[in-house]
Amino acid sequence: MKRTVRDIDVADKRVLVRVDFNVPLKDGRVADDSRIRAALPTIRYLRERGARVILLSHLGRPKDAPDPALRLDPVALHLAQLLGTPVRKLDELCGPSVEAAVAAMKPGDVLMLENTRFDPREKKNDPSLIEELACLADVYVNDAFSAAHRAHVSTAGLATRLPAVAGFQMEKELLALEGLLAEPQRPFVVVLGGAKVTDKVKVIDRFLDLADRLLLGGAMALAFLKAQGFEVGASKVEEEGLEAAAAALARADSSRCELSLPTDLVVAEEPSEGAETQVVPAGAVPAGWMALDIGPQTAAFYAATIAQAGEVFWNGPLGVFELAPFAEGTRAVAEAMAACPGVTVVGGGDSVAAVNKFGVAEKMDHVSMGGGASLEFIEGAVLPGVEVLAEKGSE
Ligand code: ADP
Ligand code: MG
């Protein structure tokens, strides 16, 4: 296990904290603050113990230069409201003005530096930026699990120059995902959906080894159906995914894990709110129609399987849940998980959005903010931002 902020003395120390405040903005305001809330326990803990808290985050994808629309000001404002204390926001990431501002900090103060990705050196993990930032602080805390699959200055590089420990959100994510994979409560049921097979091939492989049942849905399942020779009409099928799907099907044959595909589908001529829909058996999608959700029979079977699970992991919506006519499959899975007495973990940007939309986030044991990072972790990849953190028991 990684050392955390609990394991070090932070009183009076200058602490650089990498958070993931890459939040959606709308009209210059924070549209969804889940990621900011996730960092509050670490920030509060550090303040209460008299640390000087210097926050680092990226926001969006600026093109290696300052982009006025991606400044962190609205985020700092929102954080200040949540914390009930001022958050001083700087317009620079490093340099003399930042050094002066840090020098003026008092214990308990919170300072936010500018978007790390305005500096082209961030993504290159450039030693000169590591040096400039490391000079500002005594300790580095990584609380951004969702950015930990990147080897950037703020997510990994700083740990080469400063004592580096995990924040509480990082710890929570690691415990939940390690727990899920280490000794799963059986039956271990995994639900995978979403857009692309190629994004998730390795995840499918890992679960074919680990899980008892793999339930597939979403556009991904259509590639599996097509690979089996089923007619999928005008459905969105990722051609590059067909081979991967065929390979996974072959592997599933010799795996102890039972793989399920949809047996019925909701189809329409177009993905729209007012679309006319039909339910058809999988394999009987009419020419020119698209499969946009799993059908009611499949949804009922998936829900019943989830109800009996000792542990469930879900990633990827089962249909185009953003549109009401195609949301029922995803809703059925979300609600079945909410009611499941076993351990329930949800990961993935759109899946988490679905769980929030259906109002069941609180009923899950863990909602991973991880997205790409949680999938890479499940694949068994070493996450650079996790690897660099000190292990418990080490000095
Ligand atoms: P996550 O972010 O949870 O990992 P993905 O990004 O892989 O999930 O996929 C989410 C997207 O997949 C959603 O926007 C949803 O509309 C889309 N999707 C799901 N099922 C289908 C389908 N049958 N046809 C087209 N798009 C689909
Ligand atoms: Mg997504």
Side-chain angles (χ1 to χ4, degrees):
M1 200 50 226
K2 296 296 179 183
R3 295 180 80 194
T4 73
V5 285
R6 266 187 234 99
D7 302 314
I8 51 167
D9 177 18
V10 297
D12 250 11
K13 298 270 165 55
R14 298 165 302 162
V15 184
L16 260 178
V17 187
R18 178 44 155 109
V19 288
D20 185 356
F21 287 171
N22 181 30
V23 295
L25 298 177
K26 206 178 166 216
D27 304 324
R29 307 185 67 167
V30 174
D32 176 348
D33 67 358
S34 340
R35 283 185 162 165
I36 302 178
R37 287 178 186 276
L40 293 177
T42 299
I43 299 172
R44 289 201 174 113
Y45 178 92
L46 292 171
R47 290 192 65 227
E48 281 162 15
R49 276 157 189 78
R52 302 158 210 250
V53 181
I54 310 164
L55 299 173
L56 279 171
S57 178
H58 77 285
L59 175 64
R61 295 168 184 254
K63 301 213 159 41
D64 290 341
D67 174 343
L70 294 175
R71 290 199 176 276
L72 281 165
D73 298 63
V75 176
L77 209 66
H78 196 93
L79 173 65
Q81 281 163 7
L82 293 176
L83 283 174
T85 193
V87 172
R88 181 159 178 215
K89 157 72 182 44
L90 303 184
D91 290 335
E92 318 266 309
L93 176 61
C94 51
S97 65
V98 174
E99 282 158 31
V102 171
M105 286 177 86
K106 299 197 174 51
D109 279 356
V110 184
L111 188 72
M112 189 182 291
L113 307 185
E114 189 53 280
N115 192 340
T116 54
R117 290 197 187 163
F118 285 0
D119 192 316
R121 296 174 295 172
E122 156 77 339
K123 289 210 261 179
K124 294 185 189 132
N125 201 10
D126 186 311
S128 70
L129 182 60
I130 295 176
E131 197 52 40
E132 281 188 57
L133 288 172
C135 288
L136 300 173
D138 307 299
V139 180
Y140 166 71
V141 174
N142 192 347
D143 207 20
F145 175 77
S146 43
H149 54 320
R150 311 281 182 223
H152 296 170
V153 168
S154 68
T155 59
L158 282 167
T160 60
R161 266 284 273 112
L162 292 170
V165 298
F168 295 125
Q169 176 62 20
M170 170 70 87
E171 181 186 40
K172 198 168 142 200
E173 293 272 7
L174 292 175
L175 285 175
L177 294 174
E178 276 165 5
L180 184 85
L181 302 173
E183 274 175 42
Q185 307 294 312
R186 304 211 175 259
F188 179 17
V189 175
V190 173
V191 186
L192 290 177
K196 288 188 176 171
V197 185
T198 44
D199 283 354
K200 298 180 186 174
V201 193
K202 290 194 201 139
V203 175
I204 295 171
D205 277 356
R206 185 89 202 266
F207 284 131
L208 283 174
D209 287 339
L210 269 180
D212 300 296
R213 307 209 61 135
L214 192 46
L215 310 175
L216 300 188
M220 191 168 83
L222 298 169
F224 278 79
L225 290 171
K226 188 165 178 182
Q228 283 191 321
F230 284 102
E231 184 50 62
V232 294
S235 300
K236 177 177 147 190
V237 175
E238 186 202 7
E239 291 300 324
E240 313 82 75
L242 292 179
E243 219 171 289
L249 282 165
R251 218 168 307 113
D253 274 341
S254 56
S255 151
R256 56 187 284 278
C257 176
E258 203 166 318
L259 182 115
S260 301
L261 292 173
T263 52
D264 59 346
L265 298 162
V266 177
V267 300
E269 282 177 304
E270 48 163 36
S272 73
E273 274 299 342
E276 202 146 312
T277 64
Q278 277 184 42
V279 174
V280 300
V285 180
W289 288 57
M290 304 174 173
L292 295 165
D293 193 8
I294 55 172
Q297 186 186 52
T298 307
F301 172 66
Y302 285 9
T305 306
I306 290 167
Q308 288 167 11
E311 186 167 300
V312 195
F313 174 77
W314 172 32
N315 166 271
L318 287 296
V320 184
F321 76 100
E322 298 91 340
L323 301 170
F326 316 107
E328 291 312 306
T330 304
R331 182 200 300 277
V333 163
E335 287 178 353
M337 279 185 76
C340 174
V343 179
T344 51
V345 179
V346 183
D350 294 289
S351 324
V352 171
V355 160
N356 286 326
K357 175 175 170 153
F358 300 130
V360 292
E362 305 294 303
K363 302 240 171 70
M364 304 295 167
D365 289 294
H366 182 66
V367 176
S368 176
M369 302 275 158
S374 52
L375 293 184
E376 286 195 25
F377 187 89
I378 288 165
E379 287 167 11
V382 174
L383 306 186
V386 175
E387 203 199 8
V388 293
L389 302 177
E391 286 292 330
K392 275 214 162 111
S394 70
E395 279 320 308

